[in-house]
Amino acid sequence: MLDIPSSVRVDVEALLAAQNHMGVCDAIEQYAPVGKPDTMTAPHFPKVAGIDSTVPPPAHTVAPASPAPAPPSSPGAPGAPGTLIQDRLAGWVSDLTTLHELTERLARTAFMDDALHEVLRAGAALVGARRGLVVLEPADGLGPDTTVGLGLARADLGHIETVPRGATSYGRILDRTDRTGEPEVHADLLSEDGLDPRHREVAARLGYAASFALPLATEAAGRLGAAVWLYDEPAEPVERQRHLVGLYTRYATEHLARLLELERARTKSRTIAEELLPPRLPRVAGVQLAARHRTGPRGGGDWYDALPLPEGALGLTVGSVTGSGASAVAAMGRLRASLRAYAVMEGEDPVAVLSDLELLLRLTEPARSATALFAYCEPALRKIVLAGAGHSPPLVIGERRTEFVETSLSAPLGMLACWEAPSVEFSPEPGETVLIYTDGLLHRSGDPMDRAFARLHAAAAGVPRTIRNDPGAIADHVLHTVLPDGLDAADSDEDVVLLAARFE
């Protein structure tokens, strides 16, 4: 035995005998110091990324083997107890460092799809696999249900889904009535007796020969799904790998549970916002209409509307309420409904419509402000009278011109004691399209406002002649050109609204 301070109380021979049968956290718990250790000699193992060094081993990790006497060796030999202890401690530190890095990367994911891909990549690194899939299927049945693959194309996932559910590792895990965390291990799939013929066929076709599956479940979060990693050759993870991936999946499940609640809240907010907007645009003689709406992950307060008015007129409006989330969506719904009422009563005077809306906002939503634009259109005469409150000017797109409509500078609603601004009247030519939009189109581009306006103008001027007769195609072209590289579809704090009206 080495001369180790008695306060540490580590049986070296027992440690050597159990070194190949014990996970890092098991060993730290087994050989924790008793009493108050010496400052310089007692090892201190930090908590890394929320992982307690005294956490008991997961259910899928076998218990340490009973200590057995170890053959004596000289202190200076390569296999001496001191050297082996140092190597083992170095291995523990390495394992904890790896878990820290992987959990830190997972914690930085803010969306469910990104988190699922990160879980697959980290798990594959821990168990030594190259491919895998995660099946998200919350036990409460509220969804969302999805399957994400690593190294597997969509067609490959489709082939796997043709295997009877009860014959797959993830199917057996998800169909369990209990909440055990036992893994599903198939070290040599193709040689197993009783393997489902379709499973054997798919495995041979995709080229995997072994699988290791774990439930994504904890007592607090319940069962969210299952993760499966696939090996190209017959193989299975060793006990140390199982222990580490078990610790990681526990943390990952808690993180996924938080993202799941957030995703559900986002979905509800988006659904409510969409329901508060017009389900369809009206058909009015002499004008064609199209609208495009992109909402942020938390739901925003941007709106659009088009409503028929007496004597064949048409009211067009877009606007934005400050803030985001459920409260902004609710405020947007109230303002839009009120604006419709004011437009029916006095739509021919856009200034009066916005003045009434400003008074309502100041009395009922004193903590908010809003931008808005209302246009009274007479399609038969191709005449438009509009007023704007802190809103960007409309854009006229035609064969011979692409220009912004000159509007007076005005403050947003709710910013002044009494809002008022002069209206503007103009007449679009036959075949021209008037595009009105919210500021989110400019802000989401990430450019300064002057450059964003220049990009918008260039996009409108570059509309191909073949689609100038289709206001929907014009709106799509402008949206994708101003917001390239998927920014038109990516989640953002900025809502985007475009309303296009083509006059015949």
Side-chain angles (χ1 to χ4, degrees):
M1 301 292 291
L2 295 176
D3 185 14
I4 298 176
S6 59
S7 58
V8 178
R9 299 185 183 178
V10 175
D11 190 323
V12 176
E13 294 182 353
L15 176 60
L16 296 178
Q19 63 180 334
N20 294 321
H21 303 280
M22 188 179 301
V24 54
C25 293
D26 297 323
I28 294 175
E29 179 184 12
Q30 178 75 17
Y31 299 107
V34 177
K36 185 176 180 181
D38 293 342
T39 303
M40 298 301 294
T41 60
H44 296 271
F45 302 101
K47 292 176 66 175
V48 182
I51 300 172
D52 194 340
S53 61
T54 62
V55 172
H60 60 271
T61 301
V62 298
S66 300
S73 57
S74 60
T83 303
L84 294 177
I85 291 175
Q86 292 176 359
D87 291 343
R88 190 57 177 169
L89 291 176
W92 293 345
V93 172
S94 176
D95 290 345
L96 290 173
T97 302
T98 299
L99 285 175
H100 173 74
E101 293 174 352
L102 294 177
T103 52
E104 282 292 311
R105 288 172 55 180
L106 180 62
R108 287 194 291 268
T109 58
F111 298 97
M112 181 62 72
D113 190 64
D114 295 337
L116 292 176
H117 280 94
E118 180 59 35
V119 169
L120 277 177
R121 286 191 291 267
L126 290 174
V127 302
R130 189 173 62 89
R131 294 179 290 175
L133 66 151
V134 167
V135 179
L136 184 68
E137 190 176 304
D140 58 11
L142 300 179
D145 297 347
T146 186
T147 301
V148 175
L150 171 68
L152 297 170
R154 186 173 296 275
D156 298 334
L157 295 176
H159 286 305
I160 293 175
E161 290 175 353
T162 63
V163 179
R165 182 183 176 92
T168 62
S169 298
Y170 67 83
R172 286 190 289 270
I173 288 176
L174 295 175
D175 292 341
R176 289 175 184 168
T177 56
D178 57 4
R179 292 189 176 183
T180 61
E182 293 295 329
E184 285 277 340
V185 185
H186 298 276
D188 192 350
L189 273 172
L190 301 182
S191 65
E192 281 188 8
D193 295 332
L195 184 66
D196 183 86
R198 179 57 184 167
H199 195 178
R200 187 185 304 275
E201 179 184 347
V202 170
R205 179 167 186 169
L206 299 184
Y208 65 88
S211 67
F212 177 76
L214 276 177
L216 298 175
T218 63
E219 287 295 328
R223 183 173 296 118
L224 302 184
V228 185
W229 291 278
L230 306 175
Y231 296 88
D232 296 340
E233 301 292 339
E236 63 178 305
V238 299
E239 287 302 322
R240 172 176 166 273
Q241 292 174 317
R242 294 191 190 190
H243 195 170
L244 291 177
V245 76
L247 292 173
Y248 178 81
T249 53
R250 284 190 217 169
Y251 176 86
T253 301
E254 297 293 340
H255 182 69
L256 292 175
R258 293 188 290 269
L259 291 182
L260 180 63
E261 292 300 320
L262 184 60
E263 182 70 20
R264 289 174 175 175
R266 288 169 176 168
T267 301
K268 291 178 181 178
S269 181
R270 284 194 295 263
T271 301
I272 293 173
E274 293 294 338
E275 291 295 327
L276 290 175
L277 296 174
R280 64 183 62 86
L281 296 174
R283 293 184 178 181
V284 178
V287 64
Q288 296 175 280
L289 300 174
R292 299 293 183 265
H293 179 224
R294 300 290 186 270
T295 186
R298 293 180 294 175
D302 286 19
W303 82 81
Y304 68 91
D305 206 351
L307 63 156
L309 298 176
E311 301 179 359
L314 175 68
L316 300 177
T317 178
V318 297
S320 176
V321 178
T322 56
S324 60
S327 61
V329 172
M332 176 267 287
R334 292 191 291 267
L335 287 183
R336 174 179 168 269
S338 301
L339 191 148
R340 289 175 69 92
Y342 299 146
V344 170
M345 292 187 295
E346 48 192 3
E348 68 278 0
D349 185 356
V351 173
V353 171
L354 293 185
S355 296
D356 292 343
L357 189 65
E358 195 273 339
L359 178 60
L360 176 73
L361 180 68
R362 185 153 43 88
L363 293 177
T364 61
E365 310 277 351
R368 293 189 183 276
S369 63
T371 63
L373 183 145
F374 179 76
Y376 178 80
C377 307
E378 298 179 82
L381 303 176
R382 293 194 303 278
K383 176 184 175 182
I384 298 177
V385 181
L386 65 86
H391 215 277
S392 300
L395 185 60
V396 179
I397 305 171
E399 292 288 342
R400 291 176 292 182
R401 64 171 177 169
T402 299
E403 60 186 25
F404 292 101
V405 178
E406 293 187 5
T407 57
S408 57
L409 183 65
S410 60
L413 303 177
M415 298 292 290
L416 303 177
C418 181
W419 177 89
E420 187 172 355
S423 60
V424 175
E425 180 178 328
F426 70 99
S427 298
E429 298 294 329
E432 289 187 335
T433 297
V434 177
L435 185 70
I436 55 179
Y437 51 92
T438 58
D439 292 341
L441 177 65
L442 305 173
H443 292 313
R444 191 180 279 208
S445 68
D447 291 335
M449 291 302 289
D450 56 344
R451 294 184 59 184
F453 274 115
R455 176 180 287 190
L456 174 59
H457 185 276
V463 173
R465 293 181 179 272
T466 55
I467 65 172
R468 287 182 179 267
N469 294 330
D470 184 353
I474 292 175
D476 287 334
H477 173 83
V478 170
L479 186 64
H480 299 327
T481 304
V482 175
L483 303 176
D485 302 327
L487 287 176
D488 60 312
D491 286 327
S492 170
D493 291 338
E494 298 288 345
D495 280 13
V496 176
V497 163
L498 288 86
L499 181 59
R502 181 183 181 275
F503 290 85
E504 300 175 351

